[in-house]
Amino acid sequence: MTEPLYRSDPYAREAPATVTDAAPGRIVLDAAPFYPRGGGQPGDRGELIRADGSFVSIADTVYEPDRTTIRLVPAEGAALPSAGERVTARLDWPTRYARMRAHTALHLLSVALPYPVTGGAVGEAEGRLDFDSGETAFDRAQIEAELARLVATDAAVTTRWIADEELAANPGLVKTMKVKPPVGSGKVRLVEIAGLDLQPCGGTHVARLSEIGRIEVTGIEKKGKQNRRVRIRLLETPATG
Ligand SMILES: [Zn+2]
């Protein structure tokens, strides 16, 4: 298994790690800041820095079928490190941070439009959600104004784990959540935007809403009889260091 550093610290841009397995198309570390593709958010890119200063370019990150081993997918033609080798794992941070901001903005979109979400995708400083909204007409200016109001609260975004039993003992919690958490795995990761949103989510988020900046609604499309697809884009490019 791989320790998923992105979960406890989504701002970790790099971390020391030991290669536990390496084969064509597959590198496994004991601990990794890389987010594996899932929940509509793409897998991280980046590089491994070897002791001799050379780089192994990482093109994508996915979960192995066991869901506890994170597999880094090396770029085509990249030299492979050896098992046991110490490396520094470094993210393509501007890309990941743009995704963190967009992902958190999508939580806000689901607050602004309180309808069941049927799909979604996170891009770089952009994203989309599909809503089962029936015949309700969406107003672009109204959604943008509501998103701006939510961002301006600068609410804190936090995560916590809750055991299945605790969830069962607090039925009111499920009511406050938009998405029903999956039960059976023993515990669920909850993402809370203070006072605004609470839902189970495994993705990466910013710590405060002000990091998102201005959000533009770039499209509202009809998807079938029941669904509306809403696309958003972030208008500000923050300094990422
Ligand atoms: Zn999320």
Side-chain angles (χ1 to χ4, degrees), residues 56-68:
V56 179
S57 180
I58 303 300
D60 197 2
T61 305
V62 295
Y63 261 127
E64 299 269 86
D66 68 3
R67 304 289 299 168
T68 62

Side-chain angles (χ1 to χ4, degrees), residues 1 46 179 231 235:
M1 78 163 272
V179 184
R231 296 177 187 277
L235 293 177

Side-chain angles (χ1 to χ4, degrees), residues 12-197:
R13 304 176 188 201
E14 63 174 54
T18 301
V19 177
T20 56
D21 204 1
R26 178 178 185 272
I27 298 172
V28 179
L29 306 177
D30 61 343
F34 290 75
Y35 178 78
R37 186 196 307 162
Q41 185 174 329
D44 279 335
R45 303 192 294 252
E47 60 206 7
L48 304 182
I49 308 164
R50 307 177 75 178
D52 66 2
S54 66
F55 296 90
V56 179
S57 180
I58 303 300
D60 197 2
T61 305
V62 295
Y63 261 127
E64 299 269 86
D66 68 3
R67 304 289 299 168
T68 62
T69 304
I70 295 172
R71 172 177 149 201
L72 308 184
V73 181
E76 192 111 3
L80 290 179
S82 317
E85 194 174 320
R86 294 285 294 164
V87 295
T88 298
R90 182 189 286 166
L91 293 183
D92 171 352
W93 176 250
T95 299
R96 152 69 95 69
Y97 189 53
R99 289 172 181 167
M100 280 162 61
R101 294 168 63 231
H103 182 129
T104 313
L106 290 180
H107 279 249
L108 296 184
L109 185 61
S110 78
V111 173
L113 296 170
Y115 303 96
V117 173
T118 57
V122 177
E124 280 148 46
E126 59 170 29
R128 61 172 165 81
L129 285 182
D130 297 339
F131 296 92
D132 178 359
S133 55
E135 293 300 314
T136 312
F138 287 170
D139 182 276
R140 184 182 297 207
Q142 208 170 17
I143 299 169
E144 283 181 353
E146 178 62 3
L147 291 173
R149 186 189 73 77
L150 295 169
V151 169
T153 65
D154 194 24
V157 184
T158 52
T159 60
R160 62 190 151 104
W161 291 87
I162 185 166
D164 285 355
E165 306 81 64
E166 194 186 339
L167 202 58
N170 293 279
L173 202 52
V174 180
K175 268 183 225 151
T176 65
M177 279 189 256
K178 251 188 310 300
V179 184
K180 260 214 185 105
V183 285
S185 66
K187 58 178 188 168
V188 175
R189 184 181 192 244
L190 298 182
V191 173
E192 179 162 32
I193 304 178
L196 299 176
D197 189 40

